[in-house]
PDB file of all heavy atoms in Angstrom:
ATOM      1  N   ALA A  31       7.408 -10.186  -2.762  1.00  0.00           N
ATOM      2  CA  ALA A  31       6.346  -9.195  -2.641  1.00  0.00           C
ATOM      3  C   ALA A  31       5.276  -9.637  -1.628  1.00  0.00           C
ATOM      4  O   ALA A  31       4.787  -8.829  -0.838  1.00  0.00           O
ATOM      5  CB  ALA A  31       5.700  -8.946  -3.989  1.00  0.00           C
ATOM      6  N   LEU A  58       0.784   8.663  11.975  1.00  0.00           N
ATOM      7  CA  LEU A  58       1.561   8.583  10.753  1.00  0.00           C
ATOM      8  C   LEU A  58       2.814   9.456  10.827  1.00  0.00           C
ATOM      9  O   LEU A  58       3.884   9.045  10.344  1.00  0.00           O
ATOM     10  CB  LEU A  58       0.683   9.007   9.566  1.00  0.00           C
ATOM     11  CG  LEU A  58       1.204   8.671   8.165  1.00  0.00           C
ATOM     12  CD1 LEU A  58       1.481   7.183   8.031  1.00  0.00           C
ATOM     13  CD2 LEU A  58       0.193   9.117   7.100  1.00  0.00           C
ATOM     14  N   GLY A  63       8.562   9.322  10.992  1.00  0.00           N
ATOM     15  CA  GLY A  63       9.815   9.898  11.460  1.00  0.00           C
ATOM     16  C   GLY A  63      10.801   8.825  11.919  1.00  0.00           C
ATOM     17  O   GLY A  63      11.992   8.873  11.577  1.00  0.00           O
ATOM     18  N   TRP A  73      20.710   2.784   5.064  1.00  0.00           N
ATOM     19  CA  TRP A  73      21.222   3.268   3.774  1.00  0.00           C
ATOM     20  C   TRP A  73      22.676   3.724   3.895  1.00  0.00           C
ATOM     21  O   TRP A  73      23.513   3.436   3.059  1.00  0.00           O
ATOM     22  CB  TRP A  73      20.328   4.391   3.289  1.00  0.00           C
ATOM     23  CG  TRP A  73      20.660   4.950   1.930  1.00  0.00           C
ATOM     24  CD1 TRP A  73      20.595   4.277   0.737  1.00  0.00           C
ATOM     25  CD2 TRP A  73      21.086   6.268   1.614  1.00  0.00           C
ATOM     26  NE1 TRP A  73      20.942   5.126  -0.296  1.00  0.00           N
ATOM     27  CE2 TRP A  73      21.230   6.343   0.206  1.00  0.00           C
ATOM     28  CE3 TRP A  73      21.294   7.420   2.392  1.00  0.00           C
ATOM     29  CZ2 TRP A  73      21.637   7.525  -0.414  1.00  0.00           C
ATOM     30  CZ3 TRP A  73      21.690   8.594   1.759  1.00  0.00           C
ATOM     31  CH2 TRP A  73      21.868   8.623   0.378  1.00  0.00           C
ATOM     32  N   LEU A 102      -5.487   9.031   4.198  1.00  0.00           N
ATOM     33  CA  LEU A 102      -6.835   8.568   3.858  1.00  0.00           C
ATOM     34  C   LEU A 102      -7.068   7.139   4.303  1.00  0.00           C
ATOM     35  O   LEU A 102      -8.113   6.804   4.905  1.00  0.00           O
ATOM     36  CB  LEU A 102      -7.071   8.685   2.350  1.00  0.00           C
ATOM     37  CG  LEU A 102      -7.272  10.122   1.819  1.00  0.00           C
ATOM     38  CD1 LEU A 102      -7.154  10.117   0.301  1.00  0.00           C
ATOM     39  CD2 LEU A 102      -8.637  10.647   2.232  1.00  0.00           C
ATOM     40  N   TRP A 105      -7.107   6.769   8.250  1.00  0.00           N
ATOM     41  CA  TRP A 105      -8.314   7.381   8.764  1.00  0.00           C
ATOM     42  C   TRP A 105      -9.515   6.463   8.550  1.00  0.00           C
ATOM     43  O   TRP A 105     -10.333   6.261   9.443  1.00  0.00           O
ATOM     44  CB  TRP A 105      -8.554   8.723   8.099  1.00  0.00           C
ATOM     45  CG  TRP A 105      -9.698   9.505   8.671  1.00  0.00           C
ATOM     46  CD1 TRP A 105      -9.654  10.381   9.723  1.00  0.00           C
ATOM     47  CD2 TRP A 105     -11.070   9.486   8.226  1.00  0.00           C
ATOM     48  NE1 TRP A 105     -10.921  10.885   9.962  1.00  0.00           N
ATOM     49  CE2 TRP A 105     -11.796  10.343   9.065  1.00  0.00           C
ATOM     50  CE3 TRP A 105     -11.742   8.797   7.222  1.00  0.00           C
ATOM     51  CZ2 TRP A 105     -13.179  10.581   8.901  1.00  0.00           C
ATOM     52  CZ3 TRP A 105     -13.106   8.991   7.054  1.00  0.00           C
ATOM     53  CH2 TRP A 105     -13.813   9.877   7.886  1.00  0.00           C
ATOM     54  N   LEU A 118     -11.491  -3.388  -0.097  1.00  0.00           N
ATOM     55  CA  LEU A 118     -11.749  -2.227  -0.944  1.00  0.00           C
ATOM     56  C   LEU A 118     -10.492  -1.794  -1.692  1.00  0.00           C
ATOM     57  O   LEU A 118     -10.579  -1.228  -2.801  1.00  0.00           O
ATOM     58  CB  LEU A 118     -12.296  -1.082  -0.109  1.00  0.00           C
ATOM     59  CG  LEU A 118     -13.719  -1.261   0.428  1.00  0.00           C
ATOM     60  CD1 LEU A 118     -14.059  -0.141   1.404  1.00  0.00           C
ATOM     61  CD2 LEU A 118     -14.724  -1.289  -0.716  1.00  0.00           C
ATOM     62  N   LEU A 129      -3.693   2.564 -15.514  1.00  0.00           N
ATOM     63  CA  LEU A 129      -2.735   3.657 -15.446  1.00  0.00           C
ATOM     64  C   LEU A 129      -1.425   3.305 -16.155  1.00  0.00           C
ATOM     65  O   LEU A 129      -0.820   4.168 -16.809  1.00  0.00           O
ATOM     66  CB  LEU A 129      -2.453   4.002 -13.985  1.00  0.00           C
ATOM     67  CG  LEU A 129      -3.502   4.854 -13.250  1.00  0.00           C
ATOM     68  CD1 LEU A 129      -3.144   4.968 -11.780  1.00  0.00           C
ATOM     69  CD2 LEU A 129      -3.622   6.235 -13.899  1.00  0.00           C
ATOM     70  N   ALA A 130      -1.003   2.066 -16.022  1.00  0.00           N
ATOM     71  CA  ALA A 130       0.219   1.634 -16.677  1.00  0.00           C
ATOM     72  C   ALA A 130       0.082   1.739 -18.202  1.00  0.00           C
ATOM     73  O   ALA A 130       1.024   2.040 -18.919  1.00  0.00           O
ATOM     74  CB  ALA A 130       0.576   0.208 -16.289  1.00  0.00           C
ATOM     75  N   ALA A 131      -1.149   1.504 -18.687  1.00  0.00           N
ATOM     76  CA  ALA A 131      -1.381   1.648 -20.126  1.00  0.00           C
ATOM     77  C   ALA A 131      -1.260   3.091 -20.562  1.00  0.00           C
ATOM     78  O   ALA A 131      -0.662   3.407 -21.603  1.00  0.00           O
ATOM     79  CB  ALA A 131      -2.785   1.130 -20.456  1.00  0.00           C
ATOM     80  N   ASP A 167     -23.172   5.597   8.674  1.00  0.00           N
ATOM     81  CA  ASP A 167     -22.547   6.822   8.150  1.00  0.00           C
ATOM     82  C   ASP A 167     -21.048   6.811   8.350  1.00  0.00           C
ATOM     83  O   ASP A 167     -20.269   7.150   7.465  1.00  0.00           O
ATOM     84  CB  ASP A 167     -23.173   8.034   8.834  1.00  0.00           C
ATOM     85  CG  ASP A 167     -24.620   8.263   8.441  1.00  0.00           C
ATOM     86  OD1 ASP A 167     -25.034   7.688   7.408  1.00  0.00           O
ATOM     87  OD2 ASP A 167     -25.320   8.994   9.156  1.00  0.00           O
ATOM     88  N   ALA A 171     -18.254   6.565   5.382  1.00  0.00           N
ATOM     89  CA  ALA A 171     -17.220   7.607   5.247  1.00  0.00           C
ATOM     90  C   ALA A 171     -15.835   6.967   5.248  1.00  0.00           C
ATOM     91  O   ALA A 171     -14.967   7.354   4.450  1.00  0.00           O
ATOM     92  CB  ALA A 171     -17.335   8.624   6.380  1.00  0.00           C
ATOM     93  N   GLY A 172     -15.634   5.997   6.119  1.00  0.00           N
ATOM     94  CA  GLY A 172     -14.352   5.295   6.144  1.00  0.00           C
ATOM     95  C   GLY A 172     -14.108   4.541   4.845  1.00  0.00           C
ATOM     96  O   GLY A 172     -12.991   4.542   4.319  1.00  0.00           O
ATOM     97  N   THR A 178     -10.728   6.142  -2.078  1.00  0.00           N
ATOM     98  CA  THR A 178      -9.909   7.222  -2.605  1.00  0.00           C
ATOM     99  C   THR A 178      -8.426   6.889  -2.465  1.00  0.00           C
ATOM    100  O   THR A 178      -7.617   7.112  -3.379  1.00  0.00           O
ATOM    101  CB  THR A 178     -10.216   8.543  -1.898  1.00  0.00           C
ATOM    102  OG1 THR A 178     -11.614   8.818  -1.997  1.00  0.00           O
ATOM    103  CG2 THR A 178      -9.451   9.702  -2.513  1.00  0.00           C
ATOM    104  N   CYS A 181      -7.295   4.481  -5.120  1.00  0.00           N
ATOM    105  CA  CYS A 181      -6.998   5.102  -6.398  1.00  0.00           C
ATOM    106  C   CYS A 181      -5.580   5.665  -6.413  1.00  0.00           C
ATOM    107  O   CYS A 181      -4.851   5.529  -7.395  1.00  0.00           O
ATOM    108  CB  CYS A 181      -8.008   6.209  -6.692  1.00  0.00           C
ATOM    109  SG  CYS A 181      -9.697   5.630  -6.946  1.00  0.00           S
ATOM    110  N   ALA A 196      15.190   2.952 -11.112  1.00  0.00           N
ATOM    111  CA  ALA A 196      16.094   4.082 -10.969  1.00  0.00           C
ATOM    112  C   ALA A 196      16.837   4.107  -9.639  1.00  0.00           C
ATOM    113  O   ALA A 196      17.773   4.879  -9.467  1.00  0.00           O
ATOM    114  CB  ALA A 196      15.302   5.392 -11.122  1.00  0.00           C
ATOM    115  N   GLY A 200      17.047   0.088  -0.604  1.00  0.00           N
ATOM    116  CA  GLY A 200      17.378   0.914   0.551  1.00  0.00           C
ATOM    117  C   GLY A 200      17.109   2.388   0.309  1.00  0.00           C
ATOM    118  O   GLY A 200      16.581   3.101   1.182  1.00  0.00           O
ATOM    119  N   VAL A 209      10.333  11.834   2.316  1.00  0.00           N
ATOM    120  CA  VAL A 209       9.446  12.759   1.637  1.00  0.00           C
ATOM    121  C   VAL A 209       8.103  12.837   2.366  1.00  0.00           C
ATOM    122  O   VAL A 209       7.543  13.939   2.575  1.00  0.00           O
ATOM    123  CB  VAL A 209       9.243  12.362   0.164  1.00  0.00           C
ATOM    124  CG1 VAL A 209       8.139  13.213  -0.475  1.00  0.00           C
ATOM    125  CG2 VAL A 209      10.530  12.510  -0.608  1.00  0.00           C
ATOM    126  N   ALA A 218       2.885  20.272  11.270  1.00  0.00           N
ATOM    127  CA  ALA A 218       3.278  19.962  12.655  1.00  0.00           C
ATOM    128  C   ALA A 218       3.026  21.095  13.640  1.00  0.00           C
ATOM    129  O   ALA A 218       2.604  20.833  14.777  1.00  0.00           O
ATOM    130  CB  ALA A 218       4.745  19.540  12.688  1.00  0.00           C
ATOM    131  N   ALA A 226       2.426   9.704  24.299  1.00  0.00           N
ATOM    132  CA  ALA A 226       2.803   9.213  25.618  1.00  0.00           C
ATOM    133  C   ALA A 226       3.832   8.081  25.449  1.00  0.00           C
ATOM    134  O   ALA A 226       3.925   7.447  24.395  1.00  0.00           O
ATOM    135  CB  ALA A 226       1.562   8.699  26.355  1.00  0.00           C
ATOM    136  N   ALA A 271      -8.076 -10.254   7.894  1.00  0.00           N
ATOM    137  CA  ALA A 271      -9.192 -10.914   8.576  1.00  0.00           C
ATOM    138  C   ALA A 271      -8.744 -11.541   9.895  1.00  0.00           C
ATOM    139  O   ALA A 271      -9.434 -11.429  10.917  1.00  0.00           O
ATOM    140  CB  ALA A 271      -9.790 -11.962   7.641  1.00  0.00           C
ATOM    141  N   LEU A 276      -8.316 -11.335  15.828  1.00  0.00           N
ATOM    142  CA  LEU A 276      -7.509 -11.561  17.020  1.00  0.00           C
ATOM    143  C   LEU A 276      -7.293 -10.303  17.859  1.00  0.00           C
ATOM    144  O   LEU A 276      -7.355 -10.331  19.085  1.00  0.00           O
ATOM    145  CB  LEU A 276      -6.147 -12.141  16.621  1.00  0.00           C
ATOM    146  CG  LEU A 276      -6.126 -13.575  16.087  1.00  0.00           C
ATOM    147  CD1 LEU A 276      -4.736 -13.948  15.607  1.00  0.00           C
ATOM    148  CD2 LEU A 276      -6.613 -14.567  17.153  1.00  0.00           C
ATOM    149  N   ALA A 290     -15.012  -9.187  -1.808  1.00  0.00           N
ATOM    150  CA  ALA A 290     -13.586  -9.428  -2.008  1.00  0.00           C
ATOM    151  C   ALA A 290     -13.351 -10.535  -3.021  1.00  0.00           C
ATOM    152  O   ALA A 290     -12.454 -10.455  -3.859  1.00  0.00           O
ATOM    153  CB  ALA A 290     -12.912  -9.779  -0.683  1.00  0.00           C
ATOM    154  N   ASN A 305       2.328 -11.050 -20.065  1.00  0.00           N
ATOM    155  CA  ASN A 305       3.765 -11.331 -20.069  1.00  0.00           C
ATOM    156  C   ASN A 305       4.348 -11.056 -18.667  1.00  0.00           C
ATOM    157  O   ASN A 305       4.167  -9.979 -18.139  1.00  0.00           O
ATOM    158  CB  ASN A 305       4.458 -10.421 -21.109  1.00  0.00           C
ATOM    159  CG  ASN A 305       5.966 -10.628 -21.105  1.00  0.00           C
ATOM    160  OD1 ASN A 305       6.470 -11.637 -20.679  1.00  0.00           O
ATOM    161  ND2 ASN A 305       6.665  -9.612 -21.623  1.00  0.00           N
ATOM    162  N   GLY A 309       9.317  -6.120 -20.458  1.00  0.00           N
ATOM    163  CA  GLY A 309       8.355  -5.472 -21.320  1.00  0.00           C
ATOM    164  C   GLY A 309       8.446  -3.949 -21.322  1.00  0.00           C
ATOM    165  O   GLY A 309       9.510  -3.367 -21.139  1.00  0.00           O
ATOM    166  N   GLU A 312      10.216  -1.716 -18.426  1.00  0.00           N
ATOM    167  CA  GLU A 312      11.660  -1.527 -18.469  1.00  0.00           C
ATOM    168  C   GLU A 312      12.047  -0.517 -19.523  1.00  0.00           C
ATOM    169  O   GLU A 312      12.918   0.322 -19.319  1.00  0.00           O
ATOM    170  CB  GLU A 312      12.374  -2.847 -18.763  1.00  0.00           C
ATOM    171  CG  GLU A 312      12.501  -3.777 -17.578  1.00  0.00           C
ATOM    172  CD  GLU A 312      11.297  -4.665 -17.439  1.00  0.00           C
ATOM    173  OE1 GLU A 312      10.301  -4.461 -18.145  1.00  0.00           O
ATOM    174  OE2 GLU A 312      11.341  -5.572 -16.609  1.00  0.00           O
TER     175      GLU A 312
END
Side-chain angles (χ1 to χ4, degrees):
L58 195 55
W73 184 64
L102 287 166
W105 186 88
L118 289 172
L129 282 174
D167 291 342
T178 304
C181 294
V209 171
L276 290 174
N305 177 22
E312 281 87 352

